[in-house]
């Protein structure tokens, strides 16, 4: 079974009557006849919010405005008829419809958009991700459809380096980690890695099959030796550098989607890097007044504005 990865963005839209907008999967999709939230896989380098707006327009004919970040999650989609186990990172937004007219996608992975009454949701065959997001009963496992060409690119963006282009797509989880004294926890990037010598938010890429918050707590322990608790999802951002240089000097077309969480450490200790030969060479607790005197990555500088 081949393991692949994918990142997608989806939207929850409701009208004035409280109806939810769903779209039905077409015969060209991996789950024909199942209903799902408007959205889909991101193009390489695409910001999740922009990807959601594009997918929403393609599948429903409607334009939307993001009103909030609903959540991030990961699920494994077993597709034995393709010989693939797909790790799917999903970013879900709350959205408001701002214009357009409800129309059917032509020759795509959906064939019908519809406003659905809340009472009807339990009757519809939805994909498991949608059932979990909406708090519905989990559907039974899919019956494998006939093998078909994946024309819509549903299995692209697998998170691995593509040798021909050195293109990498990654999903990462990072934390603004604080203790009861109001200090913030940072990790120092090792020599040979992008941003070497600068202090960064603890976190990193999630492992295959790993939920974002679980991967973050693992990374925090590996980089700092601290045990924390995730309390809040703050935002999702992205970064694209088509001319990045990897730790071995290999040029990369680097694209990362980052989930930023708030994390608390109730019983802080002296930070110790537990991961050997990794991208972190030191870690430390800092009072807010000290942050102006240390070199920070651009990401850390930007995200630390969320400290409170």
């Amino acid at each position: 079974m081949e393991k692949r990865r994918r990142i997608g963005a989806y939207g929850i839209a409701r009208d004035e009557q409280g109806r939810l907008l769903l779209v039905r999967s077409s015969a060209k999709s991996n789950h024909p006849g199942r209903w799902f939230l408007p959205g889909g896989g991101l193009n390489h380098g695409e910001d999740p919010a922009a990807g959601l707006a594009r997918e929403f327009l393609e599948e429903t004919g409607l334009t939307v405005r993001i009103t909030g970040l609903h959540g991030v999650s990961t699920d494994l989609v077993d597709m034995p008829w393709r010989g693939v186990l797909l790790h799917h990172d999903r970013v879900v937004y709350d959205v408001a419809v701002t214009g357009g007219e409800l129309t059917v996608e032509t020759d795509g992975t959906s064939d019908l958009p519809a406003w659905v009454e809340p009472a009807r949701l339990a009757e519809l065959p939805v994909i498991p991700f949608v059932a979990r997001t909406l708090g519905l009963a989990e559907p039974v496992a899919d019956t494998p459809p006939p093998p078909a060409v994946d024309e819509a690119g549903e299995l692209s963006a697998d998170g691995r380096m593509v040798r021909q282009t050195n293109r990498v797509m990654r999903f990462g989880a990072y934390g603004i980690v604080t203790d009861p004294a109001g200090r913030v926890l940072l990790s120092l990037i090792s020599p040979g890695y992008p941003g070497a010598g600068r202090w960064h938010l603890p976190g990193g890429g999630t492992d295959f099959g790993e939920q974002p918050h679980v991967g973050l707590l693992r990374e925090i322990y590996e980089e700092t030796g601290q045990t924390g608790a995730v309390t809040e999802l703050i935002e999702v951002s992205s970064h694209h550098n088509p001319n990045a240089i990897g730790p071995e000097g290999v040029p990369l077309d680097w694209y990362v989607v980052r989930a930023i969480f708030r994390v608390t450490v109730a019983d802080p200790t002296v930070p110790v890097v537990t991961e050997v030969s990794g991208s972190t060479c030191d870690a430390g607790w800092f009072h807010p007044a000290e942050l102006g005197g240390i070199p920070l990555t651009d990401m850390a500088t930007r995200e630390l504005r969320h400290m409170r």
Side-chain angles (χ1 to χ4, degrees), residues 100-163:
E101 185 174 335
L102 203 63
T103 56
V104 175
E105 182 180 18
T106 303
D107 199 33
T109 55
S110 69
D111 59 15
L112 179 65
W115 290 102
V116 180
E117 297 281 353
R120 287 193 57 222
L121 288 175
E123 305 170 5
L124 292 180
V126 299
I127 65 172
F129 149 69
V130 172
R132 288 191 294 270
T133 301
L134 301 178
L136 304 174
E138 288 275 349
V140 296
D142 285 330
T143 300
V149 177
D150 184 37
E151 299 176 359
E154 291 293 309
L155 303 183
S156 61
D158 60 6
R160 300 171 301 165
M161 183 187 301
V162 180
R163 294 183 182 275

Side-chain angles (χ1 to χ4, degrees), residues 168-215:
V168 175
M169 176 182 276
R170 189 186 196 204
F171 188 90
Y174 295 83
I176 297 177
V177 186
T178 57
D179 71 356
R183 298 180 300 174
V184 62
L185 182 65
L186 298 175
S187 55
L188 185 64
I189 300 177
S190 301
Y193 286 84
R198 293 183 176 273
W199 292 90
H200 197 47
L201 296 185
T206 57
D207 290 342
F208 192 89
E210 190 173 50
Q211 291 291 338
H213 69 283
V214 174

Side-chain angles (χ1 to χ4, degrees), residues 233-298:
L233 173 63
I234 300 175
E235 70 172 13
V236 172
S237 62
S238 66
H239 175 70
H240 181 212
N241 182 0
N243 300 306
I245 301 297
E248 297 177 354
V250 177
L252 301 175
D253 182 353
W254 181 262
Y255 168 51
V256 59
V257 174
R258 300 163 171 154
I260 312 297
F261 294 88
R262 201 179 304 280
V263 180
T264 59
V265 175
D267 299 306
T269 60
V270 176
V272 176
V273 180
T274 65
E275 183 182 35
V276 179
S277 302
S279 60
T280 299
C281 61
D282 198 4
W285 288 104
F286 296 89
H287 289 283
E290 299 176 286
L291 297 178
I294 61 174
L296 297 170
T297 63
D298 292 341

